[in-house]
């Protein structure tokens, strides 16, 4: 330890009054109540709101979310496949209100990091000690001709809601023998196994209702999440129905669409599918960019320990919008990150140093009724960054038994009931 | 005096030693919260298959998680996740869940089987699964009100020999018929 004279001690003492030991600005707790404003009521935002209130009910939490109901993306593929209805993936905010969260249905239009203030389209403004931004994803125009109008003809269904219903209706309306084209996005994107689970769920529907139909996956990547397990499952349940084409064979996947004629084009070929599911490239939700929280790649850089933005102090970004790697852009990861950030924010507004974080992720994919696969991982903090705990996690084994995969399917549905209860209940 | 106090505060907070050298263990709450996604908030599962872990004794939790970690106890995903934690961390998680009330479930059960199980319980199970499977202190895991599919999976593994039974339990299980075992599981699941 270097020698410190009396004068420098006093200097440190003086600065310690304004800056907590780890360098976060301390909040003047005396006087007004501690205020946390959360932007976005999806998995990350809603979990954070609940867990802050659980940890310290003296903290006032305001959650701002435009929609009155939230439809989970996870399990929405089962709606598309016909085994589940929309009501079963719909969640409201009364549970959060019971925890004392103030829920405001409005759209955030600006976040003033210096003035610590959030303003909305409806003309309201909210001051905060700490702000949590959880806006999910927004789409990039990486496919020529795929605009908002085209999405009404060729749904992405990558934000659950009316788009999910639209894709389902198109599948119901298509003729037997038709082609369903799925265009998965380039990395990084929300729910890496999602497009391939979707192929399973669509095939599951087609197999019993329109067995002459085919699914063509024109990928913008050369490999994908749980690839071995999905390929095995396609062979096991839907032999000959699903064809996956890697990017290198098409010059990079789907390049353009013409929604009016229903045409989909790659570098070399043209297709006229009966149903087209275009999942565009993604970046952080719009407000993250508007608030200046994104980097050149379109995602929000963060400190590993507290997920505080490295661009704007006092703002934490969680869920899909954050540069959260090696944590994946998944619902479980957002839920896990939200709890860590909730604990950190409660510590920070009370002038305490945030504790050591711990995260986990488990992603199930349901490849057929009574057949589920998964990937899991435990994460900790190493040198200020999120890191995988060595030796932990991994995939369902390639040689797992049908009995084990049936259990995984049951655990997947249990996971759904438990995580949604944990978020919104 | 003022200076001394500041030094103590700074030392205590780790500023002078650097945060990375002083990485403390995550708290019990921090660790236990990671379980909620699959096992429910505070370990009270909404089912239908993932077990509630609320109310289990710390000893049971540590033993169970170490068995998952080593592969001694078979699993789908739990063993993979257990490999990410230390025994010390399992103790912390266990201490958290031991303080939670046993979760009550509402399941579709067969009354006839429940009644049959009730008759078999005293003679066959009570010694180690006291209070109808609701006593944490016997360190045998809370069976009362547990989700039936989980209990069934467990019995399948016991019978198959992929999960080891305590000797006393094996003696009893070997003597019971499949119908009797099924009735006992229904009985445990029915406890409120």
């Amino acid at each position: 330890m270097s020698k410190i004279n009396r004068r420098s001690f006093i200097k440190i003492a003086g600065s310690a009054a304004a800056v907590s030991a780890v360098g976060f600005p301390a909040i003047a707790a005396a006087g007004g109540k501690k205020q946390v404003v959360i932007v976005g009521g999806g998995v990350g935002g809603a979990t954070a709101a609940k867990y802050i209130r659980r940890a310290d009910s003296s903290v006032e939490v305001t959650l701002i979310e435009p929609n009155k109901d939230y439809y989970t993306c996870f399990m929405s593929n089962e709606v598309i496949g016909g085994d589940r209805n929309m009501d079963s993936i719909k969640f409201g905010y009364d549970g959060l209100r019971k925890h004392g969260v103030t829920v405001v249905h409005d759209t955030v239009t600006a976040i003033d990091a210096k003035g610590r203030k959030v303003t909305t389209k409806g003309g309201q403004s909210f001051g905060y000690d700490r702000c949590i931004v959880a806006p999910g994803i927004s789409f990039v125009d990486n496919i020529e001709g795929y605009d908002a109008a085209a999405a009404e003809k060729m749904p992405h269904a990558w934000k659950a809601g009316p788009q999910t219903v639209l894709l389902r209706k198109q599948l119901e309306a298509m003729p037997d023998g038709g082609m369903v084209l799925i265009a998965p996005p380039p990395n990084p994107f929300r729910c890496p196994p999602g497009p391939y689970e979707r192929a399973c769920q669509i095939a599951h529907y087609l197999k019993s209702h329109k067995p002459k139909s085919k699914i063509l996956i024109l990928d913008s990547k050369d490999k994908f999440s749980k690839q071995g397990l999905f390929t095995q499952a396609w062979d096991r349940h839907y032999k000959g129905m699903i064809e996956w084409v890697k990017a290198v064979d098409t010059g990079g996947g789907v390049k353009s669409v013409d929604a009016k004629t229903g045409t989909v084009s790659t570098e070399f070929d043209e297709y006229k599918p009966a149903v087209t599911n275009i999942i565009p490239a993604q970046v952080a939700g719009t407000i993250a960019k508007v608030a200046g929280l994104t980097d050149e790649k379109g995602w929000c850089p963060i400190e590993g320990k507290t997920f505080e933005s490295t661009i704007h102090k006092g703002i934490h970004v969680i869920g899909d919008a954050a540069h959260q790697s090696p944590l994946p852009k998944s619902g479980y990861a957002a839920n896990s990150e939200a709890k860590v950030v909730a604990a950190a924010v409660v510590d920070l507004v009370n002038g305490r140093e945030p504790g050591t974080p711990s995260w986990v992720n488990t992603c199930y994919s349901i490849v057929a009724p009574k057949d589920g696969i998964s990937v899991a991982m435990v994460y900790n903090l190493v040198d200020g960054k999120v890191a995988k705990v060595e030796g932990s996690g991994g995939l369902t084994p390639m040689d797992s038994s049908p009995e084990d995969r049936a259990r995984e399917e049951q655990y997947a549905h249990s996971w759904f009931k438990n995580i949604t209860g944990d978020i919104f209940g | 005096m003022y200076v001394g106090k500041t030094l103590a505060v700074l030392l205590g907070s780790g500023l002078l030693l650097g945060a990375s050298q002083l990485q403390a263990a995550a708290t019990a709450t921090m660790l236990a919260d990671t379980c909620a996604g699959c096992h429910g908030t505070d370990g009270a599962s909404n089912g239908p298959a993932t077990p509630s872990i609320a109310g289990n004794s710390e000893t049971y939790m540590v033993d169970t998680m170490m068995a998952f970690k080593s592969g001694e106890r078979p699993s789908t995903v739990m063993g993979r996740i257990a490999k990410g934690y230390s025994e010390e961390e399992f103790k912390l998680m266990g201490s958290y869940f031991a303080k939670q009330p046993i979760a009550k479930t509402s399941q579709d059960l067969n009354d006839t089987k429940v009644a049959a199980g009730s008759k078999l319980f005293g003679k066959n199970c009570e010694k180690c699964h006291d209070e109808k499977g609701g006593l944490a202190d016997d360190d045998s895991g809370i069976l009362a009100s547990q989700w039936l599919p989980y209990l069934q999976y467990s019995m399948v593994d016991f019978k198959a020999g992929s999960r080891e039974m305590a000797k006393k339990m094996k003696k009893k299980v070997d003597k019971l018929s499949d119908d009797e075992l099924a009735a006992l599981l229904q009985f445990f699941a029915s406890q409120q």
Side-chain angles (χ1 to χ4, degrees), chain A residues 54 332 339 356 393-394 414 418 422, chain B residues 24 33-34 38 41 46 49 80:
Chain A
R54 269 166 62 95
Y332 205 138
K339 291 176 198 176
T356 300
S414 303
N418 280 320
D422 195 46
Chain B
D33 283 349
T34 65
C38 293
T41 306
N46 295 323
R80 288 179 253 156

Side-chain angles (χ1 to χ4, degrees), chain A residues 1 4 6 9-10 12-13 21 50-51 54 332 335-336 339-340 343 353 356-360 362 364 374-376 378 381 383 389-397 403-404 406-408 410-411 413-415 417-419 421-422, chain B residues 2-3 6-7 10-11 13-16 19-20 23-27 30-31 33-42 44-51 75-77 80-85 96 147 149-150 152-154 156-157:
Chain A
M1 195 193 309
I4 301 175
R6 188 182 162 79
F9 253 124
I10 290 166
I12 294 168
K50 173 174 164 178
Y51 271 76
R54 269 166 62 95
Y332 205 138
N335 172 263
S336 186
K339 291 176 198 176
V340 173
E353 181 190 354
T356 300
S358 177
W359 302 271
V360 71
T362 302
Y364 285 104
S374 61
V375 62
V378 180
L381 190 75
D383 295 332
V389 174
E390 215 174 298
S392 78
L395 294 155
T396 298
E403 161 74 18
D404 272 357
R407 289 188 193 184
E408 290 222 57
Q410 283 295 293
Y411 289 143
H413 287 138
S414 303
W415 168 82
K417 288 179 80 171
N418 280 320
I419 200 160
D422 195 46
Chain B
Y2 179 55
V3 168
T6 309
L7 179 61
L10 291 173
L11 280 169
S13 65
L15 179 72
L16 297 180
S20 66
Q23 178 122 324
T27 62
M30 172 68 73
L31 290 164
D33 283 349
T34 65
C35 310
C38 293
H39 291 278
T41 306
D42 292 332
S45 174
N46 295 323
T50 308
S75 68
T76 54
V77 74
R80 288 179 253 156
I81 293 169
K83 287 186 174 75
Y85 302 99
Y96 183 92
W147 290 102
Y150 166 74
Q152 290 166 336
Y153 295 161
S154 299
V156 166
D157 292 345

Side-chain angles (χ1 to χ4, degrees), chain A residues 73-116:
Chain A
C73 280
F74 39 91
M75 294 296 166
S76 68
N77 280 334
E78 281 200 331
V79 176
I80 290 164
D83 283 353
R84 185 177 276 280
N85 61 37
M86 286 298 281
D87 272 350
S88 74
I89 60 165
K90 175 178 157 183
F91 297 89
Y93 294 94
D94 286 348
L96 292 185
R97 291 189 181 95
K98 279 182 196 149
H99 288 284
V101 176
T102 303
V103 181
V104 176
H105 293 299
D106 202 341
T107 303
V108 173
T109 48
I111 304 170
D112 172 6
K114 260 193 186 158
R116 298 197 168 218

